[in-house]
Structure formats: C-alpha cells, structure tokens
C-alpha cells in the first residue's frame, strides 16, 4: 500500500523544527507529514500508550507513525523495548516486530541526543555558522558524533561558543532550525541518524 501521510511524535520542539526541514529532503514529494512535539522525553513516554490507542481507532490504512526520542543516559535496548511495547499493546505492527515490509509504527532513538545528528553533518554546521572551520572534525571529541564524551548538546555548544556564537547559552530551537536547513541526509556521519533515515525510507519501498 502506498504511504501518503506520516504522523510524527517527538519529545521536544527542537526536534520538530529540525524534522520540518529534513523531511522534505527524505520523503517522496507526494507524502504529507505532521509533527507533534511533547514537553520532553518523560512526557512523550508517559502519553505514548494512550496516544497510540487513540490512533488505533481511526488511523487510515495509508498513514504511518514515526516515534523519535533521545537515548540520553538510558539503556538503548530498554528504551527501544518500551517504545515497541507501547505500539504492540495498541495492536500496531512495528518495523522491529515483523519481517514484512508492511508495518505501521517506526520507533527510532537519537543517540545520545538530537544534537549528535547536527554534529554528524560538519558541512551543514559550517554553512550555518561560517566562523566554524571544517577541520573541527579532526579533533578527538568530534570524530564520532554518537560517542561524544560529556554530552552532544554540550559539545555543540562548546564548538559554537569557541567562535563567538551563543555566548549566553545555546538556543536549541534556533540551532536546530539553522543547521537542519543545510543538512544533507545521505552525507550524515551519525549512525543513529542513518538508522532513522533508512527506517523512514523503508516505509516507501
């Protein structure tokens, strides 16, 4: 069945604004999407079971659901299981629960935070913030965006502040909107982003 619409659930507004820029680069041109942000990860996880039960009662056959949240310091397998259980208890098939290409819910985790996806596209960062030099990726801290020590949010803030940006503190929403505008999904070095991207593309194969 052709997928015509995505309902996307994310934990915070910064993820919403980033995906508003990224989805047109990933999705077929005839696919519509609507992104719903929550008041943080705890709020998303608390409300997710009821939200999915609500979808179960009316979701059209050509719609799909994408759930995205940060790993933070959680155990990745435990967090993924919680997302999967919420979908299965609502009688939805997920990408991980079926060998078929036909599934309704795609659960994905940003490791460890959404900002790792931004660090995964160094060219986009340099285009968005021209004072930042491309060679920052040669520094040990930034070589693997999914394994940044001390937090990806803090690492991105430090990188930008070194060049005079956001001296009063990182504006997560502004940074998400600005960098995602330049991101090229196929070039991203974050493995968790590539997992997200390939999962979304699977919906349309």
């Amino acid at each position: 069945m052709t997928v015509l619409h995505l309902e996307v659930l994310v934990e915070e507004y910064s993820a919403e604004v980033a995906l508003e820029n990224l989805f047109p680069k990933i999705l077929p041109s005839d696919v519509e999407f609507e992104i719903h942000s929550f008041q943080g990860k705890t709020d998303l996880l608390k409300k997710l079971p009821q939200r999915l039960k609500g979808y179960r009662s009316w979701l059209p056959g050509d719609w799909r659901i994408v759930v995205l949240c940060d790993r933070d310091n959680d155990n990745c397998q435990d967090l993924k299981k919680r997302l999967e259980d919420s979908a299965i208890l609502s009688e939805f098939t997920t990408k991980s629960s079926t060998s078929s290409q036909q599934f309704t819910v795609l659960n994905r985790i940003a490791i460890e935070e959404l900002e790792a996806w931004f660090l995964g596209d160094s060219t986009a960062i340099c285009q968005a913030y021209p004072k930042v030099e491309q060679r920052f990726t040669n520094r040990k801290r930034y070589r693997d965006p999914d394994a940044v020590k001390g937090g990806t949010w803090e690492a991105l803030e430090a990188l930008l502040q070194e060049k005079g940006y956001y001296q009063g503190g990182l504006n997560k929403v502004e940074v998400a909107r600005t960098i995602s505008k330049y991101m090229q999904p196929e070039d991203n070095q974050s493995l968790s982003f590539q997992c997200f991207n390939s999962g979304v593309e699977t919906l349309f194969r």
Side-chain angles (χ1 to χ4, degrees):
M1 178 178 290
T2 301
V3 176
L4 297 179
H5 181 93
L6 296 185
E7 287 286 294
V8 186
L9 309 181
V10 298
E11 65 179 67
E12 60 185 8
Y13 186 56
S14 61
E16 178 179 342
V17 300
L19 292 179
E20 287 281 359
N21 284 333
L22 288 170
F23 270 139
K25 305 174 188 181
I26 298 173
L27 302 179
S29 59
D30 59 343
V31 176
E32 297 180 350
F33 63 91
E34 186 169 0
I35 304 172
H36 309 275
S37 57
F38 290 74
Q39 300 302 310
K41 180 178 177 180
T42 299
D43 185 49
L44 169 60
L45 293 175
K46 178 182 177 181
K47 295 177 179 176
L48 183 61
Q50 194 61 38
R51 186 66 172 258
L52 292 175
K53 287 178 183 177
Y55 280 130
R56 190 71 184 89
S57 67
W58 64 268
L59 196 77
D62 54 6
W63 286 31
R64 298 293 182 268
I65 301 167
V66 177
V67 182
L68 171 67
C69 70
D70 292 352
R71 185 193 70 183
D72 298 314
N73 294 319
D74 288 346
N75 179 283
C76 194
Q77 291 182 334
D78 290 344
L79 178 58
K80 183 67 177 293
K81 184 177 186 303
R82 184 169 179 181
L83 297 175
E84 291 287 304
D85 287 348
S86 292
I88 293 168
L89 286 172
S90 298
E91 300 180 355
F92 282 124
T93 54
T94 70
K95 186 178 189 303
S96 299
S97 68
T98 179
S99 58
S100 169
Q101 293 289 341
Q102 296 296 317
F103 59 91
T104 304
V105 178
L106 175 69
N107 291 310
R108 284 294 180 259
I109 298 170
I111 300 176
E112 62 184 55
E113 299 168 314
L114 182 72
E115 285 75 20
W117 293 7
F118 305 148
L119 289 170
D121 194 329
S122 58
T123 300
I125 290 176
C126 294
Q127 289 176 313
Y129 300 99
K131 295 179 185 177
V132 178
E133 298 174 336
Q134 188 82 34
R135 65 173 180 265
F136 82 84
T137 56
N138 295 329
R139 292 154 61 180
K140 184 177 180 180
R141 185 180 191 185
Y142 297 103
R143 287 175 190 163
D144 181 352
D146 292 331
V148 170
K149 301 297 183 183
T152 50
W153 182 90
E154 292 84 357
L156 181 59
E157 180 180 57
L159 177 68
L160 296 178
Q161 287 183 340
E162 283 177 8
K163 299 301 181 180
Y165 300 104
Y166 302 108
Q167 294 301 303
L170 197 70
N171 183 323
K172 293 185 70 172
V173 173
E174 182 179 318
V175 167
R177 180 180 288 113
T178 304
I179 295 177
S180 62
K181 183 170 62 174
Y182 296 100
M183 288 171 67
Q184 298 301 319
E186 66 276 8
D187 297 332
N188 201 290
Q189 299 302 303
S190 164
L191 290 179
S192 74
F193 177 81
Q194 290 300 335
C195 185
F196 173 82
N197 188 38
S198 63
V200 171
E201 290 179 340
T202 300
L203 292 166
F204 306 98
R205 290 174 187 162

